[in-house]
Amino acid sequence: MALYENRREFLKTLGLSTASLPFLMNLPSLGFASSAKRKKRLVVVFSPNGVVPWDFWPDEEGDKFTLKESLKPLEPFKERMLTLNGICDKIKGDGDGHMKGIGCLLTGIELLPGNVQGGSDTPAGWSSGISIDQEIKNFLQANPETRTRFGSLEFGVLVPDRADTWTRISYAGSNKPVAPVNDPYEMFSKMYGKMKDQETLKSVLDNLRLDFKIISKATSSEDRQLLEEHAQFVREMEQELTLSEGEELDHIVPELEADVTADNDNMPKISRMQTELLVNSFVNDFTRIATVQYTRSVGSAKMRWLGVEEGHHVLSHRPDKDKDSQDKLTRINKWYAGEVAHLAKKLAETPEPGGEGSLLDNTLIVWTNELGKGNNHSRDNTPFVLIGNGLDFNMGRSLKYKSVTHNRLLLSLAHGFGHELKTFGNPDFCGDGPLTGLT
Amino acid sequence: MKLHSLRNNYSKISFWFLSLFFACCLIFEPASLQARDVLFSKGKKIYFKQCASCHGSKGEGVKDRYDDPLIGDLSKNDLAKLISETMPEEDPEDCIGKNASAVAHYILKEFYSPAAQSRLHPIRVEVSRLTVRQFRVSIADLLSDPQGKAILSDQRGLKAEYFYTRNFKQSKIPGRVDPSINYDYGEESPDKNLRKEEFSIRWKGSLIAPETGEYEIVMKTPNGVKLWLNDNSKPLIDGWVASGMRELKTTIFLLGGRSYPLRLDYFKYKEKLSSIKLMWKLPGQAKQVIPSRYLIPENSPETVVVSRKFPPDDQSEGYIRGNSVSKEWLQAVTYSAVDIADFVSQRMNRFVKAKPEDKDYKEKVKSRFVQFVERAFSMKLNDAAKKHFIYQYIDQSDDLKLAVRKIIIHTIESPYFLYRFVGKKGDSSEIASRISLVLWDSIPDKELLKVVLDGSLKKPEVLEKQIDRMVRDPKATAKIHAFMLDWLNVERFKGLSKDKKRFPKFNDQLVSDLRISLNLSISETIEKEKADFRDLFLSPDLYLNDNLAAFYQIKNDANNDFVKVSVNPAERAGIISHPYVMAGYAYHSTSSPIHRGVFLAKTVFGRRLRPPKEAITPLAPDLHPDLTTRERIKFQTAPQACVKCHELINPLGFPLENFDAVGRYQVKEKGQPIDSSGSYESLAGKIVYFDGVRELAEYLAESSEVHSAFVEKLFRYSVKQPVLAFGHSQQMKLVKSFVTNEYDIRDLLKEIAKVSVRGQKKR
C-alpha cells in the first residue's frame, strides 16, 4: 500500500529545504501581509433529509419574528441571521430527489446521465457543473491579495466512506466531485502535520547523534568520513528546524481529544472537533471558504444522545400526521441548529486577527439542506439560514420569497465576494440575477 | 612530432582494464624472485633513463608533459609493440625491440597492470549506506506482514465472478479465470445468463510488477468501477459513478519482482454500452492492456512501498553503490521515515496485535517495537539499546502513538539501519546483514534473524543452509532480474524511437511489447531450476505477442498474449540478440556496429574503453548512399587515432550486422548480401573469427574472459564492493566455481554471498 498519499504536498517543506525559513514561505498567513483589505469568508453547512416546515420557518416576515423550535438554538444570533423562505431548487433531469437535492444544491445545474440508481426515477451521475464554494474559491485564489494556503477546506462529519452522488456537495467542475475530509485527525494533519512532524523529528535528533558517535568509534578512520559527513547533515537539519521554530508560535494549534473513532455515537464530538479546526483555519487564514457536510443526503445518523433511536432518513419519510416522528425530526434539526449556533458562537468570540471585530463579523454561514421536506422529497422551500456579517447582507430578518430559483441565491453569494457573475449553473434559472432584498 | 598530436596518439593505448584475471600470477612473485628478474632490472633502467621524465617514477604522469597515469590492459606484446613504434616521442627509434619489451615487462609489473595498481592503491571493503533500491526493498520487508507470502503459481489471469445484479448478487458463471481485462460487450450482455442492462463483475487476484518504478494504472470504461491495488482497504481508483466513456488513471510506485493484491469491481446499469479495459503504463513506456503474464488468480499480501523520490546513487565506478551522502538523500530518507511513522501509527492495533484496552498494552507495544528494531538492525538489542531506541520514548510520553512515531523515525534514520559493512566480521549479525543484502537487497527475514539471535549462524552448516534457502526466494530472483537489466544497460533505451519513414510500425506500443518480451526472456532463463548463464547467449527462443510476431515476421500461434516461440537458431541467439537489445544498440535508421561492439567489449568482455578524446559525429548514411553500414563504419574509423579501440570494437559489432535498426533479421542491405564476419583478439593474444550471431554467441558463452567479466559484474552489483577488496584470489575462485557449477547464475550468487561475509583481505 502506498504511504499516505496526501501528505506529500505539505511534507515537501518539512523544514529541511535549503531555504532557511521554508515554513514562513509556505504559509502566506504569517505576516498578515494580505490583510490590508477586509477578509470575507463563507461557510456552507449541510444537513440532510429536509426539515419539518412548521417547526422551522418563522411565521412572520421582516425584522420582527419568532424563532420556531428547530431554530431555537440560534436565538443569540437572531440579530445577525436571515431565514430565506420560498427559495426553490428547480433543477430537473436525471436522478432521484435526494440526488438532485444534494448534487444541484451548490451547483445549480443538472446531474449528468449515469449509472447510479436511487429509489425510483432515472439513474444519474455526478453533477455537470462547479459548485458555488469552489467557484468563489477559484475567484479568491486568482487574486494574490485573497489567496490562501488551501483556498477551501471541506469538512465532513460521518460522511460514509464512498464516493457517489449522495455523498458529495462540492464540485471542482463537471464530473469532478470534491471529497470532504471526514477525519478530524486527518484534517489536523493536513493543517498542522508538518509542524508536528518537525517537533517529532527534532526530539529524536539528539538520540540519533549518539548513534553516530558510537558507530563512528567502531569504524576505521577512512570509513568514519562518510559517517561524519552524514552526521553533519543531521546537525544541519536540526539547525534548520530550530530556525523555523520561532515561526510556529504565531499559530494557535487546537488541542484535539485523542482516539475519537468515526462511530455514530461520536458524532457530537466529531462535529465539535471539526468546528474547532475550522475556526482555527480561519484564524490562521489557511482558507476563506469552508464547507461542513453532516453525513450525506439520505444520511441515517441515529441521534441516541437526543433519545432518537431510529435513523434520520427513515424518520424523514414518515407522514406529517405521525406526530412522534415529526417531533423527533424537529429535535434532530434543532441539534443541527445547535451545532451551527456553536460554530457561530466560536466565530463571534474570536477576534479578527489583524483586523476589526470578530471572525463572525467577516464570515457568512449558510446552513442548508438538500430537501425542503423529507416525506415528499420536495425541493421547494429549500432551507437556507444565513448567519454572520461576512457579506454585508442586511441581517436580522425573516424573508419570504415567492418561489424564486436557488441559483439566484448562489449568484448573490458570488456577488457578496465581488465576483459579479451574470449566471451560475443552468442560466435558465438565473432569471433576474442575484436575489433582491438581501442587502 | 608536435606534443599534442603525440599525446593523442599515445592516448589510444590507454585501455583501462579492471578484470585482472590473467595477471594475478605475476604480482605475487616474491621480491627475491623479482630481484633475479634480469629483464625487469633492464626495463627499470631504461624506464628511468628515457621515460620517467614525462611519465613519472611510478607512471603517475608529470604535469605539463604527460599527466595521464600509465594504466591499461594491453598485453605485454602489444605494449612492447606500441613502445617500439612510438616511444620516446623525440625519437621512437631509440627504444625498440628487446629494449621495448623490457620496458613493457617492467611497467606492467610495477604499475601499468590493474593488479599492480591494486597493490599500489589497496582496495578495501568500505562502509556503505543502503542504496535507493536497498532502502525501498528493506522497508517493504520490514513493514509488510511477514505472515502472508506471495505464491507465484503458473496460472495466469484473474479470478472472475459474474453477477446477475448490479450489486454483486447472484453469481452466474462460477470458476472462471479471465486472461486479462479487455472487454467490449457493446450493447450486449457478457453471457447468456446475464441481462443486457444490468450486471456486475468482480475480478480478483494479483498483479506482478516486472520492474521497479512508478506505474500508471489506467481504466477505460463508460461504466462503474472500483480498483483496489496493494491496499485492500482503500480503492486506488474509484469510478463508481459514471457518465459516459472516460479514462480513469492514477500512479502507484511498485517494486519489481513482487506480486500485489488486486481487485476490480465493475458494474453496468442502464447505460447503453458496456466495456472495460485495465491498462498500465510501465516506467517510460506506452500504455497497454495489462498482459495476462502479469496477472495471477491468487491473492498476495500487501507490500509497504516507499514512493519518495531519491537522488540517484553513485554509479561512477560502473555499478550502483552507497558510497556518498547528500542533503537531498537525507531529506528523502527523512520524508520516508515520517511516511512510515504515519503508516504504522494509523495501524497501531494491527501492527502491535493488541488493543489499547488490553491491560498490558504498553508492554505489548514495547516488545513489538523491540522486535521491529531488532529486525531493522538485524541484531539483538541489549538493555541499554532497548532503552535508547524504544523504552525512553514510551516511558516519556502519555501519547503512545507519538512515542511510536519517534521510535520509527529514530530507527529508520539510524546509521544502524542505513549502513552496511560496519560491523565486525564474523559477528552473526554482520553476516546476516551482508548475505541478505547481497542476495535480496534487503534486511534479514524472520528465519534468518532467528539464527542471528540464537547465535547459530556462526556455524558454517547453518550459514550454508540459510544461503541455500535465500537464493531460492523470489527476492533473489528479483535481484538477479534487476541485475540483468542493468547488465544490458536497458536504461539507455528509454524513449527508443526510429526513423518513422523507414519503420512506420515501430511505435511506442511495439517498444513496450519488446520490453516485456525481453523481461520474459530474462525470467525464462533465471527462473529455471538451473539458471544457465549460457542461455543468455544461446537460447533460440523469443517471447512474442501477435503485434511483435507480425512486425518481426515470425510465425506464432495467433494470440494477443506473449508465447514462447523458437526461431531459427542461425538468426537469433539469446538475449544479446533480442530485438529490443538490437534496436537499442542501433542508430535511428541503420544498425550500429559501434554501439554493439562497445557493449560487447565493455560489458560482456569486461574491457574498459576510453571514450574518444574528441566527440565525433557519426557519418550520415545519406552522405555515402552507396556504402553499406559496415563499409561506412570502416571508413569513418580508419584514422590512426581511432584504430586502436575500433580494431577491437568493430569486429565485435559486425557479426550482428544482420540486425537492422529495429532488430529485424536481414540478409541484404542496399541490395548487397550482408557481411557478418567478425573477430576478437583475446587477452592472451589469440584471434578468433566468427561469422554471424550464432558463432559469435557460441564464443561468448565459452569465453573465460566473458565468464570472468560476468562474475565481476554480478559481484559488484550484488555486494556493492569490488571483489578485489575481499582478496586477490577471490575472483579467480569464483570463476572456477562458476565453471564447475555449469554456469548456474544462482549458484554464482550463492558463492558471492559466501565471499561477502569474509573480512577484508590482509594488508
Side-chain angles (χ1 to χ4, degrees), chain B residues 685-696:
Chain B
K686 200 178 153 209
I687 300 184
V688 204
Y689 296 93
F690 16 71
D691 193 355
V693 60
R694 179 57 51 179
E695 285 183 22
L696 168 70

Side-chain angles (χ1 to χ4, degrees), chain B residues 574-714:
Chain B
I575 58 170
I576 53 139
S577 65
H578 189 280
Y580 185 56
V581 177
M582 287 296 94
Y585 290 113
Y587 288 123
H588 199 53
S589 60
T590 69
S591 72
S592 173
I594 295 179
H595 283 96
R596 292 167 185 174
V598 169
F599 164 68
L600 289 173
K602 277 177 77 170
T603 305
V604 180
F605 282 102
R607 305 199 46 168
R608 268 181 97 178
L609 303 170
R610 257 196 179 178
K613 278 266 161 159
E614 292 158 38
I616 291 163
T617 319
L619 283 179
D622 37 357
L623 282 179
H624 301 271
D626 41 335
L627 295 187
T628 64
T629 305
R630 183 178 180 124
E631 288 163 346
R632 201 178 66 246
I633 297 300
K634 271 188 164 167
F635 174 70
Q636 180 161 30
T637 58
Q640 257 278 287
C642 313
V643 171
K644 201 71 208 174
C645 288
H646 280 277
E647 69 184 10
L648 168 69
I649 296 167
N650 300 0
L652 280 175
F654 289 146
L656 299 169
E657 264 304 90
N658 290 108
F659 302 103
D660 67 4
V662 291
R664 281 186 311 209
Y665 191 85
Q666 306 285 330
V667 288
K668 281 188 172 174
E669 187 193 358
K670 298 186 169 156
Q672 302 177 42
I674 286 170
D675 177 0
S676 59
S677 62
S679 63
Y680 178 68
E681 184 181 347
S682 73
L683 286 167
K686 200 178 153 209
I687 300 184
V688 204
Y689 296 93
F690 16 71
D691 193 355
V693 60
R694 179 57 51 179
E695 285 183 22
L696 168 70
E698 279 169 0
Y699 178 73
L700 297 177
E702 299 304 328
S703 159
S704 58
E705 285 175 41
V706 171
H707 302 157
S708 180
F710 188 79
V711 167
E712 204 212 358
K713 287 219 150 46
L714 182 61

Side-chain angles (χ1 to χ4, degrees), chain B residues 190-388:
Chain B
D191 189 88
K192 62 181 191 309
N193 295 312
L194 301 174
R195 294 169 291 179
K196 284 180 190 177
E197 68 281 3
E198 173 179 353
F199 60 89
S200 56
I201 310 173
R202 173 168 292 157
W203 286 285
K204 278 180 92 167
S206 302
L207 172 104
I208 301 171
E211 294 176 35
T212 297
E214 193 137 284
Y215 286 67
E216 190 171 293
I217 305 291
V218 184
M219 276 193 295
K220 195 173 177 188
T221 176
N223 313 106
V225 277
K226 254 187 226 181
L227 175 76
W228 291 260
L229 180 58
N230 196 29
D231 186 343
N232 298 330
S233 52
K234 198 177 152 226
L236 181 70
I237 294 179
D238 186 341
W240 208 237
V241 180
S243 300
M245 184 60 99
R246 78 271 200 233
E247 267 193 3
L248 301 155
K249 45 182 126 172
T250 189
T251 57
I252 181 169
F253 198 98
L254 299 174
L255 297 171
R258 291 173 185 242
S259 62
Y260 301 88
L262 179 151
R263 173 179 147 199
L264 172 55
D265 279 5
Y266 166 85
F267 82 99
K268 181 194 184 184
Y269 183 69
K270 289 192 180 171
E271 305 100 304
K272 192 165 176 226
L273 299 171
S274 90
S275 67
I276 167 102
K277 252 188 202 190
L278 176 61
M279 296 173 281
W280 68 8
K281 207 168 162 298
L282 272 80
Q285 294 176 58
K287 188 170 65 188
Q288 60 178 184
V289 171
I290 301 178
S292 192
R293 287 268 158 198
Y294 295 105
L295 298 170
I296 54 170
E298 287 85 7
N299 192 22
S300 302
E302 296 163 312
T303 301
V304 178
V305 182
V306 169
S307 55
R308 294 277 171 190
K309 281 213 165 44
F310 278 73
D313 292 316
D314 179 83
Q315 244 191 105
S316 58
E317 291 292 319
Y319 62 103
I320 291 166
R321 59 189 179 148
N323 67 331
S324 62
V325 291
S326 66
K327 197 164 178 171
E328 290 70 32
W329 173 77
L330 180 62
Q331 241 176 57
V333 169
T334 305
Y335 294 150
S336 304
V338 173
D339 287 346
I340 295 158
D342 286 343
F343 179 86
V344 174
S345 61
Q346 280 160 16
R347 293 161 178 77
M348 270 283 271
N349 297 354
R350 230 167 89 189
F351 194 79
V352 178
K353 297 203 172 73
K355 290 194 199 90
E357 302 86 87
D358 299 355
K359 64 175 185 336
D360 51 352
Y361 184 59
K362 218 172 187 174
E363 289 312 306
K364 279 182 177 160
V365 174
K366 278 185 179 176
S367 83
R368 177 67 183 91
F369 279 93
V370 168
Q371 220 181 67
F372 173 80
V373 177
E374 284 187 335
R375 177 100 194 275
F377 300 166
S378 57
M379 64 184 196
K380 202 175 175 74
L381 299 183
N382 61 20
D383 287 344
K386 282 179 190 169
K387 184 164 179 268
H388 178 67

